[in-house]
Amino acid sequence: MTEAERSVKLKAGIACLMVMTAVATVFMTQSIFLEISTSFHIDISRARFAFSVTSLCYSTAFFFIGPLADRFNPPKIAITGLVALSVMIFCAASTTRFSLFITAMGLTGFSAALIPASMFPHMTSLAPKEKLGIYVGAIVASGTLGIVLGRVAMGILTAQFGWPFAFRVVSALLVTLATLGMLFLVEQSDSRPTSPKGIAELYLRSIKLVTSPRPLALLSTGFFLFFGFLGMVTFLTYRLVAPPFYFTSGDVGWVSLAGITALIAPFAGNLSQRTGPFKVSVPGLALCIIATQLMGWAQSIPVITLGLLLLFAGAYCCQPLIFLLIGQSVPRQSLGSASSLYILVCIGGGSLSSMVLGPIWTSYGWTGITLACSASLAMAITVLGMLARHTAGLDESQKEGIEQQVG
């Protein structure tokens, strides 16, 4: 291995670690709803807003941050986000009022978005062309692993030491990662702004991406996928802390470890380069629907855990491949905006599900959640299947024309 190859792998590893930790902060409240409600003396149904507000601010931030990633130095953007994130989490751990806690968590979500918004397009510029699928799969898997890490680690730490202490541990970890980024990404970074255009024009170009049929179909697929996927994951906590299970935050954390199957993402990205992305992503969505049925109707923890395992595996068979398809559907200089829009609709779908599904949980319980999430996943596979059929119907000259158009 040459020195240049070692340098690329080191930078990619640090980028993945930064994204994993940033995403973990968005999802770390999902396993501790009961403890939050007890600490602030609120009904447990209100505790879900600790996640809803965080993830909504996180997803919304991508619209504003995405074009900046096309214009400014991505590692510097990421390090700024890590420092701001550390401060916000420390403040959240120090407040005794739920309104201030929610405010701090909203700012936590916005700060966290700076890291993946800059590191996702940065990874595409770092990766060797022949290994692009593996590298993109790795950065996607790191984000997904962050979801698992946030739920598992926070649940276990909270059970042992309480959530304020756990939050302060995360704050210290973020400062350490910011230091690593300064040492290895900024000082050695060769990256430059990928677009010389003005900020206003970058935002306008970002909006135009949404009106293009192919990117719009892929963005819609991501929205429906994450509405169903994160809807099930979020309300699983309510399911497990209620009768007949009566789980603690630590128990919920251990069950969440089943999400480790998200590490399938790099392998899915590599496989798609040989078989084509649709041949992997469409079956992945079908697996999500099967997993939802297992989680929804089972009455035993082993079967529910198996369903969660398959749900993460199916979702992250799709996630890196949809990301790659979006990259193939837009000009290279718009990768930052396109990737940020995709993360926006994905996490935005998950945020919306935690809000919209609240009344469904109250009225219809876990059965209503299962049916609503299943319907959303069915919409995702319908949209992606139609796009796959349309793509298969194009002749070679049309495909070459699309490739030339996006550069």
Side-chain angles (χ1 to χ4, degrees), residues 272-357:
S272 73
Q273 290 189 302
R274 296 196 301 267
T275 65
F278 291 113
K279 291 184 179 180
V280 179
S281 55
V282 173
L285 282 172
L287 183 60
C288 287
I289 295 176
I290 294 171
T292 300
Q293 308 318 302
L294 288 176
M295 293 175 64
W297 310 117
Q299 298 297 318
S300 69
I301 291 301
V303 178
I304 291 173
T305 304
L306 173 62
L308 186 63
L309 184 150
L310 295 177
L311 182 64
F312 271 87
Y316 286 90
C317 274
C318 308
Q319 181 74 336
L321 308 187
I322 299 174
F323 184 83
L324 283 172
L325 286 167
I326 288 177
Q328 295 168 4
S329 303
V330 302
R332 185 170 181 80
Q333 63 268 26
S334 296
L335 276 176
S337 298
S339 61
S340 292
L341 279 173
Y342 182 59
I343 299 173
L344 185 158
V345 298
C346 288
I347 305 301
S351 304
L352 188 62
S353 71
S354 67
M355 296 179 179
V356 171
L357 296 177

Side-chain angles (χ1 to χ4, degrees), residues 1-11 188:
M1 185 184 299
T2 66
E3 185 66 29
E5 290 173 334
R6 280 194 293 269
S7 177
V8 167
K9 288 189 174 182
L10 176 62
K11 292 177 183 179
Q188 301 180 25

Side-chain angles (χ1 to χ4, degrees), residues 35-284:
E35 285 73 15
I36 290 173
S37 68
T38 301
S39 181
F40 291 106
H41 308 290
I42 59 172
D43 188 85
I44 190 173
S45 64
R46 290 183 61 199
R48 78 180 191 278
F49 290 110
F51 167 69
S52 301
V53 171
T54 306
S55 59
L56 185 61
C57 291
Y58 175 73
S59 59
T60 303
F62 280 98
F63 177 77
F64 300 99
I65 299 169
L68 300 181
D70 290 328
R71 184 69 179 84
F72 299 107
N73 185 281
K76 290 182 179 178
I77 295 174
I79 290 166
T80 301
L82 287 170
V83 173
L85 187 56
S86 175
V87 172
M88 290 302 105
I89 290 176
F90 188 85
C91 290
S94 304
T95 184
T96 56
R97 293 174 55 188
F98 187 63
S99 59
L100 293 178
F101 175 77
I102 288 296
T103 301
M105 292 309 297
L107 293 173
T108 292
F110 192 94
S111 302
L114 288 164
I115 294 92
S118 55
M119 289 294 97
F120 270 63
H122 186 58
M123 183 68 89
T124 62
S125 65
L126 279 177
K129 186 176 181 180
E130 67 278 6
K131 295 182 179 180
L132 183 60
I134 297 176
Y135 276 72
V136 170
I139 195 82
V140 170
S142 69
T144 313
L145 193 56
I147 299 176
V148 179
L149 177 67
R151 289 173 59 88
V152 174
M154 187 55 60
I156 295 171
L157 281 173
T158 296
Q160 295 295 320
F161 306 106
W163 70 265
F165 177 83
F167 270 41
R168 292 186 178 101
V169 170
V170 174
S171 179
L173 176 60
L174 290 165
V175 172
T176 304
L177 285 175
T179 304
L180 280 176
M182 287 290 294
L183 291 174
F184 296 102
L185 292 185
V186 173
E187 294 182 359
Q188 301 180 25
S189 176
D190 296 323
S191 64
R192 295 290 185 272
T194 58
S195 174
K197 298 182 182 296
I199 297 297
E201 188 171 350
L202 289 172
Y203 280 109
L204 181 61
R205 190 170 63 193
S206 179
I207 294 172
K208 287 181 178 178
L209 290 176
V210 183
T211 63
S212 303
R214 186 178 175 85
L216 179 59
L218 293 167
L219 293 172
S220 299
T221 301
F223 175 86
F224 289 123
L225 166 61
F226 269 70
F227 187 98
F229 164 57
L230 286 183
M232 290 295 289
V233 171
T234 299
F235 283 87
L236 179 62
T237 299
Y238 288 98
R239 164 72 163 159
L240 294 179
V241 300
F245 303 113
Y246 297 106
F247 271 29
T248 65
S249 60
D251 296 329
V252 174
W254 283 115
V255 169
S256 299
L257 192 60
I260 199 72
T261 51
L263 292 176
I264 197 172
F267 304 101
N270 188 38
L271 179 62
S272 73
Q273 290 189 302
R274 296 196 301 267
T275 65
F278 291 113
K279 291 184 179 180
V280 179
S281 55
V282 173

